[in-house]
Amino acid sequence: IGRVGREFRDGNHRFNLMQTVVNKTADRATHGDFVSRDAWTTGADFELNFRNRMYNVTGSFAGSVIDPESGGGDPGAARYGTGGSLDLQKLGGKVNGGFWGRWEHDQLDLNDAGFLSAPDEVMSGFWASWLYNPEGKSRLFNRVRVNLNTWRGWLYAGRTGFDANTGLPV
């Protein structure tokens, strides 16, 4: 496991790279596919802040390769997957907001040296916020924040499964 990074412009910008490699050499016929496969994950993330951190852009990318070892003369096929995110935000002032998006390919598999509970998702959203800070003292409250959030999610590879009654693919 390795991670390196660099900050720029007095800590307002950063960029990081990471790499994991897991080589499992257990006998596939005895122990199964999960303990006899090689897994590589490569990733990058960044954060850019502008105008005294009032505006912010963050993003990430990860790619995975799972390569099962051959067992019984039948080599396994390598699986490749990707995932990532991008967020654009206004964080300073009385009115804040942002747009965000994330994806996880259905073949993304980070579980050898990390954790991913459920790949196969695409999400996007928007948020807005209004902040009220009274200038003087208020008997009712010190601060009020009103938020609006909306998001949408999809399956990356589409719905797959079997009908519970017939057993046929749907």
Side-chain angles (χ1 to χ4, degrees):
I1 296 174
R3 182 171 168 89
V4 297
R6 173 81 191 221
E7 290 186 353
F8 303 93
R9 294 193 56 193
D10 297 324
N12 284 312
H13 302 332
R14 68 173 176 81
F15 182 77
N16 301 295
L17 295 172
M18 73 91 168
Q19 178 70 52
T20 68
V21 177
V22 176
N23 293 313
K24 297 180 180 180
T25 59
D27 179 50
R28 182 179 185 193
T30 304
H31 301 287
D33 289 339
F34 188 76
V35 297
S36 64
R37 68 183 193 171
D38 295 339
W40 296 272
T41 300
T42 301
D45 62 84
F46 67 91
E47 179 179 16
L48 307 173
N49 294 290
F50 303 97
R51 294 201 177 178
N52 292 328
R53 298 187 177 266
M54 179 174 282
Y55 297 96
N56 174 270
V57 179
T58 60
S60 65
F61 173 80
S64 68
V65 178
I66 303 297
D67 190 10
E69 295 179 359
S70 62
D74 183 22
R79 292 184 295 124
Y80 304 90
T82 62
S85 67
L86 182 63
D87 296 357
L88 308 169
Q89 304 177 88
K90 179 185 180 280
L91 300 174
K94 291 186 179 207
V95 177
N96 305 157
F99 296 95
W100 58 271
R102 292 164 179 43
W103 89 92
E104 298 163 352
H105 184 270
D106 64 324
Q107 297 296 312
L108 181 64
D109 189 345
L110 311 176
N111 290 319
D112 287 274
F115 177 73
L116 178 63
S117 62
D120 191 26
E121 297 176 327
V122 176
M123 299 285 291
S124 66
F126 164 79
W127 68 275
S129 175
W130 174 72
L131 175 66
Y132 173 68
N133 265 340
E135 294 295 325
K137 293 186 176 186
S138 170
R139 293 181 175 207
L140 295 176
F141 48 80
N142 293 328
R143 184 167 88 178
V144 174
R145 182 180 294 272
V146 178
N147 290 304
L148 168 69
N149 298 282
T150 182
W151 61 91
R152 170 78 181 176
W154 303 267
L155 295 176
Y156 188 95
R159 186 174 304 275
T160 60
F162 297 92
D163 185 281
N165 298 316
T166 64
L168 297 173
V170 290

